[in-house]
Amino acid sequence: MEATKELTLMEGTVESVIFRNEENGYTVLRLSVGDGEPVTVVGCMPGAAPGEGLAVQGTWGRHSSYGEQFKAEIVERRIPVGEKAIFEYLASGAIKGVGAATARRLVEEFGSDTFNVLEEHPEQLTKIKGITRKRALQIGEAFRLQMGMRRLLDFLGEHGLPLQLGMPLYRRYGDPALDVIRDNPYLLVDEELGVSFSTADELALAIGLDGEDPQRLEAGILFELTHNLNNGHTFLPVQKLLWATGQLIGVEGPGLTEALDSLEHQGLLTREEVAGEDACYLSSIQEAEEYVAWRLEEMCTRELLPPAHLDRLLETIQADQDITYAPQQREAVALAAERQVMLLTGGPGTGKTTCLRGVLALFDALGLETALAAPTGRAAKRLGEACGTEAATIHRLLETQFDQHTGQLIFAHDEDEPLSADAVIVDETSMVDVPLMRALLSALRSDCRLILVGDPDQLPSVGPGNLLSDLIRSGKVPTICLTEIFRQAAESAIVMNAHRVDRGELPDLTNHQKDFFFLRRRDPVRTAETIVELVKTRLPEKMGIPADQIQVLSPTRKHQSGTLALNQRLQEALNPAQPGKGERRFGPYLFRLGDRVMQVKNNYDIMWKDREGRSAGLGVFNGDIGRITDMDPRGEVITVDFDGRLVEYGPEMLGELEPAYAMTVHKAQGSEYRAVILAVSDGSPMLLSRGVLYTAITRARELFILVGDEEKVAQMVHNDRQQRRYSGLRARLARGS
């Protein structure tokens, strides 16, 4: 487990509870520690009540509104001893169904043995006048639940695990949560819980699991496959998987092969020959990849009867939109009338948006209900604006739901409840991974048309698969690749330099252009200083571009010109601290009222409201950008406005937010900004690549500025090595799924 910082120990008795969030256990209380003034303690302490003894380890800090506070990181809760302390605890309302009057009668009847009676012999409560057997058992159950949470928190604290895990574990597993985690500590390795494999593995060994126990070997294999989904792999070759797992847990020999066989027998893994590899999949991912190949192949074989008056219809659309299609564009719009599925690809300035408007007008003329979608909120907003109609994220289109019982993402629309749309257009398809495409395809009616649009030279999806590239290279899906750069686009240095980079040529860095500039800064610190100056003063004052319409990008999070350092500098320049302005520190970040922030993980079950305060929907998604509009100092609640969707974040949710004055190029994918500034200085060879530079340039609409070292720019242009993604989709399409 990670080394802990120096913590201070403090012991005392809870005097009063000032605030408690029942959902996450976050508590503010006053702790009596002797003869002096009570101390304000904040942290995850579900169910803490007056009269209870606490031993807390943590650090001192100062709240901008409430002064000195002690932030508890490890909490040992001690059952109240003595009749007075027991009465105070029960009278506080800590146990459902017990108030002050009942607490007094309980202590008078059972004295110091009250807690034992509540937990072991609740039927004895019927000795007290007015307590029926049913109520006695209910009080006993409430007390046992309280004790179960206490023991779970004690276990977490004893092993150095975050106390914030208590509430989600209890919600997921109920009263047996502690026994469940003792039986299988690897259940903690879950995206929602956020515990690393190494931490769970160290816990498993600490509580006595043998290093070569089959449970540990199986957990290691599953972790390697799950972890590599985020590296884009839908499968791993068996030998590579076994080697990587052995390196992870320090085990060699036949035990790993036996564990692999056991997981396959349990149905958790699938092993098959695909793409020339002995491939091992998580079964759910194999099923998704197989389904995508089968469904697309089925759609590809279906030719539609085009309308008899197609040519006249295309002429009418051109007249209505006051354009004349180039041959490729006309071919693309016509193909949409003839095929159930098609791909439309091309770089910037090649007219993809013009084609999309034409396809949408064509479908309208044919009386088809068309849905527009994109992988992210910002990409959907841009698509809707470009086409003059509403667009949604794919998740919203499918009506994402989060099953609290299984912890799984589910969709309201699937094979049993398909979308009503007659046609679906998806933009930024390069960002779509295989599981999401499987969900979308399963929600389409058998006769629904599908138009997939994207730029194959942009970065691939963060999730598993290489979808757009695999579909194009398979040769099975009807595809139109737009290559002609139109005159207006050709006047843009942003467009022309993007194409230069895509061809492996250096961009023009002479600064003789109106929308593309290079500022040489060899020193990373000077690079960062120049970027702050550009955002704060030079662009707003000299070019009339406000700071909130400028997006700073970097290939990397680390180093002096990475997003961590840039966000700190930009925050101080654009939103400095002021007396009375709310602040909240979480991990490496200091969140401040007015900050621009980004959601960094999909949260499907968070409720958001509109600006009138009405509950309006569920879900905030990875990459959504908002601004902190309110901070409730007592409840430590931060409110973020995501383009009219107001979301409240408690302390346990702040790990889902990051400052967004600067972001990585990967996070900016699918978005477009009026002005983009790219820091090109430090970074690993994997990040200093042609795809990253190309994607960064194509995020800018009016202005693009490179700040950094031209040698690093050249390095990026010449580095076209792409990490291999193990994906079987192309092979499945080639062989007929």
Side-chain angles (χ1 to χ4, degrees):
M1 296 179 188
E2 297 180 1
T4 56
K5 53 183 173 288
E6 194 70 32
L7 301 178
T8 300
L9 172 65
M10 188 165 52
E11 300 182 60
T13 303
V14 178
E15 180 182 272
S16 62
V17 175
I18 300 170
F19 170 83
R20 174 161 45 230
N21 186 319
E22 298 295 345
E23 284 295 308
N24 56 51
Y26 181 81
T27 304
V28 180
L29 56 79
R30 298 283 281 169
L31 190 70
S32 178
V33 292
D35 297 333
E37 282 288 314
V39 173
T40 300
V41 180
V42 301
C44 183
M45 298 171 282
E52 181 176 4
L54 294 182
V56 293
Q57 296 182 56
T59 56
W60 288 98
R62 176 165 289 278
H63 193 282
S64 58
S65 301
Y66 292 94
E68 197 169 45
Q69 295 181 338
F70 189 83
K71 182 180 179 182
E73 297 189 22
I74 299 174
V75 179
E76 181 184 349
R77 300 172 63 174
R78 297 169 181 173
I79 295 177
V81 177
E83 294 184 8
K84 181 176 182 295
I86 291 173
F87 167 73
E88 290 177 348
Y89 177 78
L90 293 176
S92 71
I95 307 302
K96 186 177 180 181
V98 178
T102 302
R104 184 172 301 282
R105 295 202 300 272
L106 286 172
V107 174
E108 288 174 350
E109 177 69 33
F110 302 111
S112 59
D113 198 36
T114 299
F115 286 161
N116 180 57
V117 171
L118 287 170
E119 186 166 16
E120 303 293 338
H121 309 287
E123 67 278 358
Q124 292 188 22
L125 301 187
T126 57
K127 295 179 181 179
I128 297 175
K129 186 177 180 180
I131 297 183
T132 63
R133 178 176 175 80
K134 180 180 179 181
R135 186 185 173 201
L137 295 178
Q138 288 174 338
I139 292 173
E141 178 66 17
F143 184 78
R144 281 194 298 275
L145 289 174
Q146 185 71 268
M147 291 303 103
M149 174 61 77
R150 177 191 297 273
R151 294 185 183 105
L152 176 61
L153 292 175
D154 287 346
F155 177 81
L156 295 174
E158 177 186 350
H159 293 283
L161 293 164
L163 299 180
Q164 288 85 350
L165 290 172
M167 292 302 287
L169 284 173
Y170 215 82
R171 282 197 297 269
R172 183 173 297 187
Y173 300 115
D175 199 26
L178 178 55
D179 292 334
V180 169
I181 297 305
R182 282 185 181 278
D183 289 343
N184 186 1
Y186 298 101
L187 292 173
L188 293 169
V189 186
D190 178 278
E191 183 180 356
E192 298 304 314
L193 298 175
V195 176
S196 68
F197 179 86
S198 60
T199 296
D201 190 46
E202 193 165 333
L203 171 62
L205 297 174
I207 62 178
L209 195 71
D210 184 79
E212 297 196 16
D213 188 288
Q215 184 187 72
R216 182 171 187 251
L217 305 187
E218 291 177 11
I221 291 171
L222 290 174
F223 170 75
E224 280 295 338
L225 284 172
T226 303
H227 173 74
N228 276 284
L229 296 179
N230 291 324
N231 291 330
H233 304 301
T234 59
F235 71 84
L236 289 179
V238 166
Q239 292 306 312
K240 178 168 282 195
L241 171 61
L242 294 176
W243 178 85
T245 305
Q247 294 293 305
L248 175 72
I249 60 178
V251 173
E252 297 179 352
L256 284 171
T257 303
E258 293 170 5
L260 187 73
D261 293 340
S262 173
L263 289 167
E264 187 176 7
H265 181 72
Q266 295 172 54
L268 298 173
L269 302 184
T270 302
R271 188 172 171 180
E272 65 172 312
E273 188 77 21
V274 65
E277 299 281 0
D278 182 4
C280 189
Y281 288 85
L282 291 170
S283 293
S284 60
I285 300 299
Q286 189 270 352
E287 187 278 334
E289 188 177 88
E290 197 170 54
Y291 183 93
V292 169
W294 167 76
R295 186 69 195 275
L296 285 176
E297 184 183 19
E298 184 181 64
M299 297 174 75
C300 288
T301 59
R302 185 173 183 185
E303 294 189 24
L304 306 176
L305 187 65
H309 56 290
L310 179 59
D311 287 340
R312 189 166 67 251
L313 185 55
L314 294 180
E315 294 300 328
T316 300
I317 291 171
Q318 292 180 85
D320 289 345
Q321 298 185 353
D322 194 24
I323 55 171
T324 301
Y325 291 140
Q328 285 183 326
Q329 292 177 317
R330 186 183 181 97
E331 183 183 1
V333 179
L335 188 64
E338 300 167 358
R339 304 302 294 261
Q340 187 176 7
V341 61
M342 65 169 283
L343 297 177
L344 177 62
T345 72
T350 57
K352 293 195 300 294
T353 300
T354 298
C355 288
L356 280 183
R357 292 189 188 119
V359 170
L360 191 58
L362 171 68
F363 287 168
D364 285 346
L366 296 177
L368 303 179
E369 177 189 342
T370 305
L372 274 64
T376 67
R378 295 185 74 84
K381 183 178 180 181
R382 186 157 59 96
L383 174 63
E385 290 171 349
C387 293
T389 188
E390 185 179 353
T393 64
I394 298 173
H395 290 90
R396 289 197 190 285
L397 180 68
L398 301 180
E399 296 184 39
T400 308
Q401 300 171 354
F402 191 76
D403 191 323
Q404 293 282 9
H405 299 292
T406 65
Q408 299 297 312
L409 166 67
I410 59 175
F411 296 102
H413 294 288
D414 55 17
E415 293 96 334
D416 298 325
E417 192 68 37
L419 294 164
S420 62
D422 302 304
V424 173
I425 297 175
V426 178
D427 198 11
E428 299 288 355
T429 305
S430 63
M431 299 178 66
V432 179
D433 61 26
V434 167
L436 185 56
M437 179 54 69
R438 189 250 184 268
L440 176 63
L441 289 171
S442 69
L444 302 184
R445 300 198 321 257
S446 61
D447 60 345
C448 184
R449 305 175 192 229
L450 179 63
I451 311 295
L452 300 174
V453 186
D455 183 346
D457 296 315
Q458 287 189 27
L459 296 171
S461 63
V462 174
N466 203 8
L467 183 80
L468 183 59
S469 177
D470 281 353
L471 295 183
I472 294 171
R473 291 187 300 144
S474 75
K476 287 295 188 72
V477 183
T479 301
I480 299 294
C481 180
L482 303 175
T483 56
E484 181 182 350
I485 302 173
F486 292 93
R487 182 182 59 79
Q488 186 176 356
E491 295 174 357
S492 165
I494 293 173
V495 170
M496 300 312 295
N497 278 317
H499 284 280
R500 286 192 185 97
V501 169
D502 192 35
R503 294 192 299 266
E505 302 170 7
L506 289 174
D508 182 353
L509 304 181
T510 60
N511 288 345
H512 295 153
Q513 305 151 112
K514 63 180 181 180
D515 61 356
F516 190 106
F517 298 95
F518 170 67
L519 301 180
R520 180 184 293 108
R521 301 291 185 271
R522 298 282 175 81
D523 177 17
V525 175
R526 186 71 183 110
T527 296
E529 291 172 347
T530 299
I531 288 172
V532 172
E533 183 184 352
L534 285 167
V535 177
K536 184 180 180 181
T537 57
R538 289 172 62 178
L539 295 187
E541 293 177 3
K542 295 184 178 181
M543 302 194 71
I545 303 177
D548 61 3
Q549 295 181 27
I550 303 167
Q551 184 59 59
V552 175
L553 302 179
S554 175
T556 180
R557 294 171 59 86
K558 302 176 182 178
H559 309 295
Q560 290 295 326
S561 61
T563 59
L564 287 172
L566 285 170
N567 269 312
Q568 291 177 357
R569 288 176 176 268
L570 288 164
Q571 181 190 50
E572 288 308 310
L574 302 174
N575 188 29
Q578 293 179 0
K581 181 181 284 190
E583 293 182 351
R584 179 71 160 85
R585 181 166 292 282
F586 186 87
Y589 307 122
L590 177 67
F591 295 106
R592 186 174 290 147
L593 185 66
D595 276 344
R596 184 197 299 180
V597 293
M598 173 173 54
Q599 176 81 9
V600 295
K601 63 182 291 188
N602 290 331
N603 189 326
Y604 305 102
D605 62 341
I606 189 171
M607 176 72 71
W608 53 267
K609 300 179 180 179
D610 61 23
R611 287 175 177 157
E612 282 70 47
R614 297 174 299 220
S615 295
L618 288 173
V620 182
F621 304 106
N622 188 1
D624 284 354
I625 303 293
R627 190 168 296 278
I628 297 176
T629 56
D630 189 42
M631 301 184 81
D632 170 23
R634 183 173 296 282
E636 303 288 343
V637 174
I638 291 177
T639 302
V640 180
D641 185 341
F642 294 99
D643 291 327
R645 292 174 292 138
L646 302 182
V647 179
E648 293 185 347
Y649 290 79
E652 84 292 352
M653 294 172 58
L654 292 182
E656 299 183 14
L657 288 178
E658 288 184 5
Y661 298 104
M663 67 178 72
T664 63
V665 177
H666 283 80
K667 287 291 186 184
Q669 204 173 349
S671 300
E672 185 179 76
Y673 310 95
R674 185 176 174 187
V676 169
I677 302 172
L678 177 67
V680 182
S681 185
D682 300 314
S684 70
M686 184 181 299
L687 295 174
L688 296 180
S689 70
R690 184 186 302 175
V692 169
L693 180 57
Y694 175 80
T695 301
I697 295 172
T698 55
R699 299 310 91 206
R701 186 169 66 249
E702 294 182 19
L703 177 67
F704 183 82
I705 301 177
L706 271 168
V707 183
D709 187 341
E710 66 264 46
E711 292 182 6
K712 295 291 185 182
V713 176
Q715 179 183 334
M716 295 180 80
V717 170
H718 296 137
N719 178 16
D720 195 31
R721 291 174 298 174
Q722 297 180 0
Q723 180 185 6
R724 179 179 181 183
R725 290 191 167 206
Y726 290 107
S727 165
L729 180 59
R730 180 186 176 194
R732 292 183 194 281
L733 286 166
R735 74 186 187 199
S737 74

